[in-house]
Amino acid sequence: MLGCEASRLVSTVVSGTPRYRFAPSPTGYFHVGGARTALYNWILALQNDGVFVLRIEDTDESRNQPQWTQGIIDALAWVGINGDDPHFEGPYFQSANAAAHTAAAQKLHESGHAYYCDLTSEQIQERAKAAGKPGYDGYSRDRGLSGGPGRVLRFKVPAGITVVHDEVRGRVEFDNSTIEDFVLLRGNGSPVFIHANVVDDIQMGITNVVRAEEHLPNTPKQQMLWQALGHEPPVWAHVPVLVNEQRKKLSKRRDKVALEQYRAEGVVADAMVNYLMTLGWAPSGDTEIVDFARIVAEFRLASVNHSSAFFDVKKLNAFNGEYLRKMSSDEFVAACEPWLSGSAPSAPGVENSPSATPWPAERFDRSVFARIAPLVQTRVSLLSEVPAMIDFFFLADPAIDAAAFDKAFSAEWARPALRSIREQLVSVVWNVEAIKSVVELIGASLDVKLGKLQAPLRVATTGRSVGPPLFESLEVLGRDETLRRIDVALSRAG
Ligand code: GLU
């Protein structure tokens, strides 16, 4: 790579329908970076009334597994890239196109753009060592070998400069002398990624390749292939990588990268889409929280930042909290449903597996949840946080946090105060105002602030020191159960 020019390209005007594509390899969970690349392509296809082609690059048999392909399709559908939409085409499978890969390789051989080579990698290394220059030296260029087992097909890289026009990075120059004659077909006849990817793109009429920056070094090679095969190269765009807090590229081993994990934790799709789109790009105006239609209207590749973007999980969660609060109460109740019924999506490393509601299913009461949902809605940023916040409503005897209990009952006044509260609660009208005024009056008589006085009452009735607003919760919990729990706590406190 010689360098990038600062000036940006105006997108090439293509006659006919623009055709974008997303070409993942099904080798694992769906990476959030992949989701962002897919969204870019999808949004551009929608914006330009083009087509989004999904091509599954499944030719690496040792790493690909069918379940990952379904995972990709599900993940795309979740972020709104829906296989039934008229802009969507596919999925195509690269493995089904093997004959075209071979035919294109033959064509390149016949036209003199490629040649066979029988050197072993040891021989190549020896020659490189002797010449003091790493890489393959073009030894077989003019040997006129025919194809056969153990012979790789290599592309004859011409001298000169290759200029890649990239919609994100501008003009990028590569000196061809730094690019060795690269392999198209392995010794067993199978195509390498660079070759299969171009042959498929050509066959599928792709006009715009928007993909991860890590593929930029492949691009001069691929552009040469497009040209050698007699086609105008597509418009390229390489999207900067996502990095973690330490500014290191997000990695499967180190970071939480699977879209499925965020989904299982209860990030909602709209929040995820909006958040992914703010990584390296910003909508106009002073809020980043915007709806999808706005994103489709405003997104431009030319305004995507060149530098890597920090995937900030805290910010994603904050976005999600905003999306949860924007929902109507009914929408929120519906969104929580999978986490309350034990049918939440599962993902590795996420605890809320389908059978993991904290209460036995038969004790859950939807109408109770609908009453407390507004109290919860303003207090969570992930849907998976909801069950633990409300479990005391649906557990016969919620576990008591011993430390919180001891702390709440450490004050002299705590036991007598709770006893008095209990006595009063027996006869009041059971609603928030009355419950609150009982506690206020007793607080005033003991000269204890309301906040402090709530602590023993809260831990007695909910088992914890924090939770949704207490008086509202007790109203829903009901008088009998509230009194019963206070009695249990008073006998525990001794
Ligand atoms: N299968 C490649 C990948 O997953 C596709 C690269 C491309 O988009 O050209 O990285």
Side-chain angles (χ1 to χ4, degrees):
M1 210 186 301
L2 289 181
C4 309
E5 211 178 70
S7 69
R8 298 298 181 79
L9 278 179
V10 177
S11 164
T12 312
V13 178
V14 282
S15 55
T17 306
R19 290 174 65 82
Y20 297 83
R21 91 311 193 254
F22 179 56
S25 307
T27 55
Y29 286 98
F30 195 68
H31 195 291
V32 284
R36 182 177 66 147
T37 305
L39 281 169
Y40 278 16
N41 282 287
W42 179 242
I43 287 163
L44 291 163
L46 296 178
Q47 195 175 73
N48 298 296
D49 199 16
V51 173
F52 171 101
V53 172
L54 173 61
R55 180 175 70 239
I56 307 290
E57 302 214 317
D58 59 345
T59 35
D60 183 350
E61 276 164 26
S62 58
R63 296 176 67 216
N64 298 319
Q65 286 181 34
Q67 82 264 27
W68 301 131
T69 297
Q70 191 54 47
I72 291 167
I73 293 168
D74 293 346
L76 291 178
W78 184 63
V79 294
I81 304 177
N82 179 353
D84 297 330
D85 189 285
H87 296 91
F88 187 102
E89 198 180 292
Y92 296 110
F93 291 87
Q94 184 158 68
S95 56
N97 215 13
H101 304 148
T102 312
Q106 267 162 10
K107 189 175 160 194
L108 290 166
H109 183 233
E110 280 155 23
S111 61
H113 287 100
Y115 60 90
Y116 284 99
C117 177
D118 58 358
L119 291 191
T120 61
S121 45
E122 291 75 29
Q123 288 170 316
I124 292 171
Q125 268 168 29
E126 274 166 28
R127 293 184 62 81
K129 214 164 144 195
K133 195 170 174 264
Y136 177 71
D137 62 358
Y139 174 71
S140 299
R141 270 192 168 206
D142 303 311
R143 290 171 63 214
L145 295 179
S146 53
R151 293 182 174 181
V152 301
L153 183 70
R154 286 183 179 269
F155 187 79
K156 203 186 273 181
V157 175
I161 299 279
T162 298
V163 177
V164 167
H165 295 292
D166 188 287
E167 284 203 293
V168 174
R169 309 186 63 99
R171 177 190 153 97
V172 191
E173 281 191 6
F174 297 83
D175 183 342
N176 291 3
S177 70
T178 64
I179 304 172
E180 67 177 29
D181 286 353
F182 54 92
V183 172
L184 301 174
L185 298 182
R186 298 185 186 91
N188 64 5
S190 67
V192 301
F193 157 73
I194 286 179
H195 178 68
N197 183 263
V198 166
V199 173
D200 292 351
D201 279 346
I202 291 174
Q203 188 176 316
M204 294 170 191
I206 299 305
T207 58
N208 295 67
V209 169
V210 180
R211 62 183 175 179
E213 190 180 51
E214 68 204 29
H215 290 294
L216 187 58
N218 294 327
T219 308
K221 301 177 189 173
Q222 295 198 304
Q223 183 159 294
M224 289 180 217
L225 276 178
W226 275 80
Q227 285 160 338
L229 287 165
H231 294 269
E232 202 44 46
V235 180
W236 307 100
H238 289 87
V239 179
V241 292
L242 301 183
V243 293
N244 67 13
E245 213 154 11
Q246 287 81 41
R247 301 277 145 191
K248 294 213 177 87
K249 191 175 157 189
L250 281 194
S251 109
K252 259 206 267 229
R253 278 168 299 282
R254 196 177 37 221
D255 305 301
K256 199 165 75 179
V257 297
L259 193 78
E260 291 88 343
Q261 280 178 302
Y262 292 100
R263 184 182 179 188
E265 285 178 357
V267 170
V268 295
D270 289 350
M272 179 55 99
V273 169
N274 190 168
Y275 179 66
L276 286 172
M277 290 307 294
T278 63
L279 296 168
W281 177 79
S284 65
D286 37 84
T287 171
E288 287 185 307
I289 309 245
V290 290
D291 65 20
F292 190 65
R294 245 307 267 291
I295 294 172
V296 173
E298 292 188 1
F299 177 70
R300 297 288 178 275
L301 276 176
S303 21
V304 170
N305 207 312
H306 290 198
S307 45
S308 47
F310 172 30
F311 187 81
D312 182 350
V313 177
K314 287 198 195 95
K315 191 169 169 193
L316 167 63
N317 291 351
F319 257 62
N320 200 55
E322 296 252 0
Y323 270 84
L324 297 182
R325 286 186 280 285
K326 279 198 324 183
M327 290 177 177
S328 70
S329 189
D330 286 350
E331 284 167 346
F332 180 72
V333 169
C336 290
E337 170 67 27
W339 281 265
L340 305 176
S341 62
S343 58
S346 59
V350 177
E351 275 161 27
N352 57 309
S353 63
S355 56
T357 53
W359 47 78
E362 66 280 4
R363 287 195 58 92
F364 182 67
D365 183 336
R366 241 166 226 89
S367 62
V368 168
F369 180 65
R371 286 174 68 196
I372 54 180
L375 309 180
V376 177
Q377 189 171 358
T378 51
R379 285 173 174 75
V380 289
S381 49
L382 295 169
L383 293 171
S384 60
E385 293 165 1
V386 173
M389 192 172 275
I390 58 161
D391 57 358
F392 63 90
F393 287 104
F394 307 114
L395 285 167
D397 286 298
I400 297 214
D401 174 342
F405 188 91
D406 292 346
K407 190 161 175 242
F409 284 91
S410 61
E412 279 294 303
W413 51 260
R415 266 163 279 191
L418 192 57
R419 263 186 223 112
S420 312
I421 292 172
R422 191 213 185 276
E423 274 164 27
Q424 301 286 317
L425 289 183
V426 171
S427 52
V428 292
V429 179
W430 197 255
N431 62 34
V432 177
E433 293 71 32
I435 299 168
K436 188 174 174 205
S437 69
V438 163
V439 179
E440 273 171 349
L441 278 173
I442 288 168
S445 70
L446 294 170
D447 199 20
V448 178
K449 289 220 169 68
L450 184 66
K452 272 195 162 173
L453 191 48
Q454 281 191 54
L457 180 57
R458 182 186 286 281
V459 79
T461 51
T462 73
R464 279 190 287 261
S465 56
V466 288
L470 183 59
F471 306 124
E472 284 84 346
S473 299
L474 296 184
E475 185 192 72
V476 176
L477 192 61
R479 188 195 320 263
D480 291 351
E481 186 60 14
T482 300
L483 297 180
R484 191 188 70 80
R485 290 186 187 186
I486 292 175
D487 289 342
V488 172
L490 282 171
S491 59
R492 178 181 171 132

